[in-house]
Amino acid sequence: MSNLVLVAPMQGWVAPLDEVPDPVFSERILGDGLAIDPVGSTLHAPCDGIVISSAKHAVTLRAANGAEILIHIGLETVALGGQGFISHAREGKSVQVGDPLLTFDLEFLAVRVKSLISPIVITNGGAFRISRRCHDREVAVGEFLMELSSAESKDGKAAGAAGGVASRDIVTALAHGLHARPAAVLSNSAKRFNAEVSLTLKGKQANAKSVAALMSLGVHCNDTVRLEANGPDADKAVAALADLIVAGLGETPVSVAVAPLPKKAASPPQRDDDPLVVRGVRAAPGMALGRAVHFKASEIAVAERGTGIVHETSEFQRALAAIRSRLELAASSGDRQRRDILAAHIALLDDPELHRTTMALIEKGKSAGFAWREAVRGVANTFKAMDDARMRERASDLLDLERQLLTVLTGQAAGHDIDLPPHAILIADELLPSELVSLESAKVAGFVTVGGGPTSHVAIIAAGMNVPALVGVGDAIKRVTEGAEVLLDADAGILRLMPDARAAATAKEAIAVQARRRADALANAAQECHTADGTRIEVFANLGRGPLEAASAVKMGAEGCGLLRTEFLFLDREAPPSEDEQFEEYQAIADALEGRPFILRTFDIGGDKPVPYLPFPPEENPALGLRGVRAGFWWPDLLRAQFAAALRVKPAGQCRIMLPMIASLGELTAARAILDALREERGEAAKIQLGVMIETPASAVLADQLAREADFLSIGTNDLTQYTLAMDRGHPHLANQIDALHPAVLRLIARTAEAAAAAGKMVGVCGGLAADPLAAPLLIGLGIGELSVPPPSIPTLKAAIHALTMGDCRDIAQQALTLDSPSAVRTLIRTRWPSSQQRSVAP
């Protein structure tokens, strides 16, 4: 096949795609190519071909050799709706090199669009490569731009296949097979190597960089799989990944053969002819008496045909980013199993095979929503047909992600916003993890589903939420009528319809006993928190949703809000929230807290929490990029609006502002100058406290300087631990080593507490370590006077603190600072703490 020469389709300056301020192009999501900053106003055909897509602002040609060339005039020009453009090409028309395709008004566009720079991209780059290209210079229409050649080398092999080949047979030691979480670990690890990596079982091969493909293999414990790699890093990839598989992929490996899981979902323990009893399998323990509410999420309609490759691709990437941010926020609370499940969902969301299938359909003219649905359901159907119960349950995870992405793409409601009566017991064909999480604040008493299994992710999340659940009841669910009184006894595996007075009374008594225990804990939690010898320790709540969550936290015993993650106001939307919108939300939260202290953290967006309305520059390491207060300084109007909203919260003094990711005194000084100028401008006489988060090693080392100028300090142990140990919290090999009880982290906490005490300032901890009752004596002993935790942790934490004495806490803390590992610190607490107190601090 002869090479194809593309000539410049317009006059202007040639630039590499890296200089295009849009990641869809600069990161070559659509493909490789060049860009031209135009000085002419006509777009010409760069080669002979057929117009396969024509919008007012973009044209795609297919050349005789099959290459597809997209030319996109300017950035974000689709929003103009064709204004400033005149099209001369229609879809299906044959054109010759030099033929006019579009004319456009440069002056009109220049004042209305993000940039005039115009990408020229080879969208089916898997079949072609750019063998020669023009470099930075001005070109006239018809001058050489680039040359395309086949992506195959002379011997017919793919050019990317060069390099070594390695393989190894491995006996898996995964007790539950290669399910979502270990598959995500393997996939993330494989992506780090410059090689094609595959896993083969019984002749079926899967891309090891795809979670969905790995799960579709149906690997069980003691199966022999072949790990193969082809490419420059082949040997290293096989060696590292084989060791990872043998080690259990983050789970405890088994050393002896175990029986395979049943081929069908667990059946009810027994059958009887009682029409008032529905039998199923316990998914989450507990008992509930309430009213049946049939729950069914509405189907989300999507158009099959798209509105152009560039637009649909951009929408797909926007939706992916929004859901990724939402999942990461949801994973920031709850127990470890919930966090692990949501991390696996993030890995599935980023799955390369799903993306490849989606993009292939988009390139065929399909909409992003239709393409995503087709890609997901293809894999989900494969899972449903497998003989492994766990793998069949994972189909629900995929369908959950399908639904979440479609809600963002279409702007339709997710279908969860229903008005539930008190003590509602949901009756559903299926309940997805995101649906259960979204109903968390609705006080669902329990749920029953037609299908599902006890190891499904929604079952695990339900157990973490203390929501009793029964699954796998089958067609018997049809006997449950809307609004009927039902008794859910998940431990017995039954749902009793219309229980008689005696059964209802017995159930109420059992539920009442549990309720009394919870009530006792909550009653104690509502009291001010002191140690056994009278030292006051404040216990606050970490919040991230709104006033309903704040009100719930108060009922759990929260003495204030130690961290409001304001990102929930900035994510999943097309424009930033206004000052008025922010004020209304902050005032509602302050009202829900009923005068209790309210610490508002300024927005921490960007990096791993992108938003469509802010053009963040490309970053190789988002964790070290425009995060926290840096993003605020990058967009000072947004920071000013947030400051102004906080200043308006009444009563004055309740709301405090906290700056994230501080690394120097200069950042605090600059932020205070903006805040003081706003106070003067608005005529606000009352000062508002301005504090800083200590979550970088720099801020901990400079804590003495910061404490003199800040009104308070709050230690974010999650990021502080990550940056101190130089370990990525999301790294599959290192995540289990990131322990905030590491003596290096404890020493930074001690340094910060000492600096705060010397300056007479309050110091708290709002990271994950604060919620670990085992850590309570250490933090208190180091001088921490306020702990801010997820609301469900408050009663347990207060009970632990009530049993402590300051002398014991200081003694334990000083000993911990001399140790050499987190495990040694934990051993110290467990072996040296009196047994009665150790029981108090157990989670």
Side-chain angles (χ1 to χ4, degrees), residues 337-353:
Q337 286 185 313
R338 168 168 159 167
R339 294 194 298 270
D340 288 347
I341 288 167
L342 294 175
H345 279 205
I346 292 170
L348 277 172
L349 187 71
D350 293 333
D351 189 272
E353 294 295 329

Side-chain angles (χ1 to χ4, degrees), residues 87 110 199 220 319 338 342 437 442 496 543 564 571 619 624 704 710 796 829 835:
S87 176
L199 201 68
H220 294 94
R338 168 168 159 167
L342 294 175
V437 171
R496 184 172 294 280
L543 305 176
L564 174 68
L571 301 175
E619 296 178 315
L624 301 178
D704 55 336
T796 302
I829 299 173
S835 59

